[in-house]
mmCIF file of all heavy atoms in Angstrom:
data_model
loop_
_atom_site.group_PDB
_atom_site.id
_atom_site.type_symbol
_atom_site.label_atom_id
_atom_site.label_comp_id
_atom_site.label_asym_id
_atom_site.label_seq_id
_atom_site.Cartn_x
_atom_site.Cartn_y
_atom_site.Cartn_z
ATOM 1 N N ALA S 130 1.262 -4.903 -14.888
ATOM 2 C CA ALA S 130 2.179 -5.767 -15.627
ATOM 3 C C ALA S 130 2.694 -5.105 -16.897
ATOM 4 O O ALA S 130 3.826 -5.346 -17.324
ATOM 5 C CB ALA S 130 1.483 -7.085 -15.971
ATOM 6 N N ALA S 131 1.868 -4.250 -17.505
ATOM 7 C CA ALA S 131 2.271 -3.558 -18.737
ATOM 8 C C ALA S 131 3.164 -2.361 -18.476
ATOM 9 O O ALA S 131 3.718 -1.790 -19.401
ATOM 10 C CB ALA S 131 1.037 -3.123 -19.508
ATOM 11 N N SER S 132 3.345 -1.987 -17.209
ATOM 12 C CA SER S 132 4.194 -0.852 -16.851
ATOM 13 C C SER S 132 5.630 -1.325 -16.685
ATOM 14 O O SER S 132 5.910 -2.518 -16.640
ATOM 15 C CB SER S 132 3.690 -0.205 -15.559
ATOM 16 O OG SER S 132 2.354 0.198 -15.695
ATOM 17 N N ARG S 133 6.554 -0.376 -16.580
ATOM 18 C CA ARG S 133 7.977 -0.710 -16.520
ATOM 19 C C ARG S 133 8.542 -0.313 -15.139
ATOM 20 O O ARG S 133 7.937 0.508 -14.432
ATOM 21 C CB ARG S 133 8.743 0.027 -17.624
ATOM 22 C CG ARG S 133 8.670 1.550 -17.505
ATOM 23 C CD ARG S 133 9.433 2.241 -18.623
ATOM 24 N NE ARG S 133 8.895 1.895 -19.933
ATOM 25 C CZ ARG S 133 9.274 2.488 -21.051
ATOM 26 N NH1 ARG S 133 10.167 3.479 -21.000
ATOM 27 N NH2 ARG S 133 8.758 2.131 -22.198
ATOM 28 N N PRO S 134 9.685 -0.863 -14.757
ATOM 29 C CA PRO S 134 10.305 -0.496 -13.493
ATOM 30 C C PRO S 134 10.509 1.017 -13.392
ATOM 31 O O PRO S 134 10.785 1.689 -14.393
ATOM 32 C CB PRO S 134 11.646 -1.245 -13.497
ATOM 33 C CG PRO S 134 11.374 -2.431 -14.367
ATOM 34 C CD PRO S 134 10.445 -1.952 -15.447
ATOM 35 N N ILE S 135 10.403 1.547 -12.199
ATOM 36 C CA ILE S 135 10.383 3.003 -12.019
ATOM 37 C C ILE S 135 11.767 3.658 -12.100
ATOM 38 O O ILE S 135 11.882 4.841 -12.449
ATOM 39 C CB ILE S 135 9.714 3.365 -10.661
ATOM 40 C CG1 ILE S 135 9.407 4.866 -10.603
ATOM 41 C CG2 ILE S 135 10.571 2.909 -9.502
ATOM 42 C CD1 ILE S 135 8.608 5.259 -9.394
ATOM 43 N N ARG S 136 12.810 2.917 -11.826
ATOM 44 C CA ARG S 136 14.156 3.504 -11.781
ATOM 45 C C ARG S 136 14.511 4.179 -13.097
ATOM 46 O O ARG S 136 14.362 3.590 -14.171
ATOM 47 C CB ARG S 136 15.218 2.457 -11.464
ATOM 48 C CG ARG S 136 15.054 1.803 -10.106
ATOM 49 C CD ARG S 136 15.493 2.675 -8.967
ATOM 50 N NE ARG S 136 15.471 1.952 -7.686
ATOM 51 C CZ ARG S 136 15.644 2.540 -6.520
ATOM 52 N NH1 ARG S 136 15.871 3.836 -6.446
ATOM 53 N NH2 ARG S 136 15.593 1.826 -5.397
ATOM 54 N N GLY S 137 14.984 5.422 -13.033
ATOM 55 C CA GLY S 137 15.434 6.130 -14.228
ATOM 56 C C GLY S 137 14.305 6.684 -15.105
ATOM 57 O O GLY S 137 14.574 7.139 -16.215
ATOM 58 N N THR S 138 13.067 6.676 -14.615
ATOM 59 C CA THR S 138 11.944 7.134 -15.434
ATOM 60 C C THR S 138 11.452 8.514 -14.968
ATOM 61 O O THR S 138 11.885 9.053 -13.967
ATOM 62 C CB THR S 138 10.760 6.139 -15.337
ATOM 63 O OG1 THR S 138 10.222 6.184 -13.996
ATOM 64 C CG2 THR S 138 11.226 4.724 -15.674
ATOM 65 N N LEU S 139 10.513 9.037 -15.738
ATOM 66 C CA LEU S 139 9.861 10.298 -15.400
ATOM 67 C C LEU S 139 9.201 10.232 -14.030
ATOM 68 O O LEU S 139 9.185 11.208 -13.280
ATOM 69 C CB LEU S 139 8.834 10.647 -16.469
ATOM 70 C CG LEU S 139 8.114 11.968 -16.355
ATOM 71 C CD1 LEU S 139 9.085 13.130 -16.612
ATOM 72 C CD2 LEU S 139 6.949 12.032 -17.353
ATOM 73 N N ALA S 140 8.657 9.073 -13.674
ATOM 74 C CA ALA S 140 7.998 8.907 -12.369
ATOM 75 C C ALA S 140 9.009 9.074 -11.233
ATOM 76 O O ALA S 140 8.689 9.690 -10.213
ATOM 77 C CB ALA S 140 7.310 7.538 -12.286
ATOM 78 N N GLU S 141 10.202 8.522 -11.386
ATOM 79 C CA GLU S 141 11.226 8.712 -10.342
ATOM 80 C C GLU S 141 11.595 10.192 -10.244
ATOM 81 O O GLU S 141 11.762 10.729 -9.139
ATOM 82 C CB GLU S 141 12.460 7.878 -10.640
ATOM 83 C CG GLU S 141 13.517 8.043 -9.533
ATOM 84 C CD GLU S 141 14.753 7.188 -9.748
ATOM 85 O OE1 GLU S 141 15.062 6.861 -10.908
ATOM 86 O OE2 GLU S 141 15.421 6.847 -8.747
ATOM 87 N N ARG S 142 11.724 10.880 -11.391
ATOM 88 C CA ARG S 142 12.052 12.315 -11.339
ATOM 89 C C ARG S 142 10.949 13.098 -10.666
ATOM 90 O O ARG S 142 11.224 14.071 -9.941
ATOM 91 C CB ARG S 142 12.295 12.834 -12.754
ATOM 92 C CG ARG S 142 13.528 12.230 -13.415
ATOM 93 C CD ARG S 142 14.033 13.062 -14.589
ATOM 94 N NE ARG S 142 13.079 13.120 -15.698
ATOM 95 C CZ ARG S 142 12.968 12.195 -16.624
ATOM 96 N NH1 ARG S 142 13.732 11.104 -16.588
ATOM 97 N NH2 ARG S 142 12.100 12.337 -17.603
ATOM 98 N N TYR S 143 9.698 12.720 -10.888
ATOM 99 C CA TYR S 143 8.600 13.396 -10.207
ATOM 100 C C TYR S 143 8.735 13.242 -8.684
ATOM 101 O O TYR S 143 8.605 14.223 -7.946
ATOM 102 C CB TYR S 143 7.255 12.821 -10.678
ATOM 103 C CG TYR S 143 6.112 13.113 -9.729
ATOM 104 C CD1 TYR S 143 5.613 14.402 -9.617
ATOM 105 C CD2 TYR S 143 5.553 12.120 -8.929
ATOM 106 C CE1 TYR S 143 4.578 14.692 -8.732
ATOM 107 C CE2 TYR S 143 4.512 12.400 -8.065
ATOM 108 C CZ TYR S 143 4.039 13.677 -7.958
ATOM 109 O OH TYR S 143 3.025 13.973 -7.078
ATOM 110 N N LEU S 144 8.987 12.031 -8.232
ATOM 111 C CA LEU S 144 9.114 11.813 -6.775
ATOM 112 C C LEU S 144 10.338 12.548 -6.229
ATOM 113 O O LEU S 144 10.289 13.080 -5.120
ATOM 114 C CB LEU S 144 9.184 10.308 -6.494
ATOM 115 C CG LEU S 144 7.913 9.530 -6.813
ATOM 116 C CD1 LEU S 144 8.142 8.033 -6.616
ATOM 117 C CD2 LEU S 144 6.739 10.001 -5.938
ATOM 118 N N GLN S 145 11.437 12.579 -6.979
ATOM 119 C CA GLN S 145 12.614 13.330 -6.536
ATOM 120 C C GLN S 145 12.282 14.807 -6.372
ATOM 121 O O GLN S 145 12.787 15.471 -5.466
ATOM 122 C CB GLN S 145 13.751 13.120 -7.514
ATOM 123 C CG GLN S 145 14.376 11.735 -7.464
ATOM 124 C CD GLN S 145 15.379 11.491 -8.573
ATOM 125 O OE1 GLN S 145 15.360 12.182 -9.601
ATOM 126 N NE2 GLN S 145 16.239 10.494 -8.396
ATOM 127 N N SER S 146 11.422 15.329 -7.241
ATOM 128 C CA SER S 146 11.030 16.749 -7.132
ATOM 129 C C SER S 146 10.217 16.988 -5.871
ATOM 130 O O SER S 146 10.113 18.134 -5.418
ATOM 131 C CB SER S 146 10.237 17.166 -8.364
ATOM 132 O OG SER S 146 8.905 16.649 -8.335
ATOM 133 N N ARG S 147 9.648 15.930 -5.299
ATOM 134 C CA ARG S 147 8.920 16.009 -4.040
ATOM 135 C C ARG S 147 9.838 15.751 -2.853
ATOM 136 O O ARG S 147 9.356 15.607 -1.727
ATOM 137 C CB ARG S 147 7.778 14.999 -4.021
ATOM 138 C CG ARG S 147 6.782 15.125 -5.173
ATOM 139 C CD ARG S 147 6.034 16.425 -5.138
ATOM 140 N NE ARG S 147 5.378 16.654 -3.855
ATOM 141 C CZ ARG S 147 4.859 17.811 -3.476
ATOM 142 N NH1 ARG S 147 4.976 18.882 -4.274
ATOM 143 N NH2 ARG S 147 4.283 17.948 -2.320
ATOM 144 N N GLY S 148 11.152 15.681 -3.071
ATOM 145 C CA GLY S 148 12.105 15.458 -1.992
ATOM 146 C C GLY S 148 12.231 14.011 -1.593
ATOM 147 O O GLY S 148 12.867 13.671 -0.590
ATOM 148 N N ILE S 149 11.620 13.089 -2.351
ATOM 149 C CA ILE S 149 11.516 11.677 -1.962
ATOM 150 C C ILE S 149 12.702 10.904 -2.509
ATOM 151 O O ILE S 149 13.062 11.035 -3.708
ATOM 152 C CB ILE S 149 10.197 11.097 -2.470
ATOM 153 C CG1 ILE S 149 9.030 11.685 -1.672
ATOM 154 C CG2 ILE S 149 10.201 9.580 -2.397
ATOM 155 C CD1 ILE S 149 7.678 11.451 -2.283
ATOM 156 N N ILE S 150 13.325 10.084 -1.682
ATOM 157 C CA ILE S 150 14.345 9.134 -2.085
ATOM 158 C C ILE S 150 13.674 7.754 -2.133
ATOM 159 O O ILE S 150 13.128 7.298 -1.123
ATOM 160 C CB ILE S 150 15.519 9.118 -1.104
ATOM 161 C CG1 ILE S 150 16.182 10.515 -1.053
ATOM 162 C CG2 ILE S 150 16.543 8.064 -1.497
ATOM 163 C CD1 ILE S 150 17.238 10.652 0.026
ATOM 164 N N LEU S 151 13.703 7.118 -3.266
ATOM 165 C CA LEU S 151 13.042 5.827 -3.391
ATOM 166 C C LEU S 151 13.679 4.808 -2.452
ATOM 167 O O LEU S 151 14.904 4.769 -2.319
ATOM 168 C CB LEU S 151 13.111 5.330 -4.827
ATOM 169 C CG LEU S 151 12.241 6.020 -5.854
ATOM 170 C CD1 LEU S 151 12.453 5.420 -7.232
ATOM 171 C CD2 LEU S 151 10.763 5.951 -5.468
ATOM 172 N N PRO S 152 12.849 3.978 -1.798
ATOM 173 C CA PRO S 152 13.417 2.921 -0.939
ATOM 174 C C PRO S 152 14.115 1.873 -1.788
ATOM 175 O O PRO S 152 14.004 1.824 -3.001
ATOM 176 C CB PRO S 152 12.175 2.369 -0.229
ATOM 177 C CG PRO S 152 11.030 2.685 -1.127
ATOM 178 C CD PRO S 152 11.392 3.986 -1.811
ATOM 179 N N ALA S 153 14.836 0.981 -1.087
ATOM 180 C CA ALA S 153 15.591 -0.068 -1.805
ATOM 181 C C ALA S 153 14.667 -0.957 -2.609
ATOM 182 O O ALA S 153 14.955 -1.317 -3.746
ATOM 183 C CB ALA S 153 16.398 -0.900 -0.806
#
């Protein structure tokens, strides 16, 4: 609950570096 949505964050960039496209 204390975390924030992943879109546009460092976590999304990490997954993109793994070739991952986030699902809808």
Side-chain angles (χ1 to χ4, degrees):
S132 302
R133 63 180 60 171
I135 192 173
R136 297 285 186 188
T138 67
L139 184 69
E141 182 178 26
R142 294 199 296 276
Y143 161 71
L144 294 174
Q145 288 172 340
S146 74
R147 303 296 305 167
I149 290 165
I150 299 172
L151 288 178

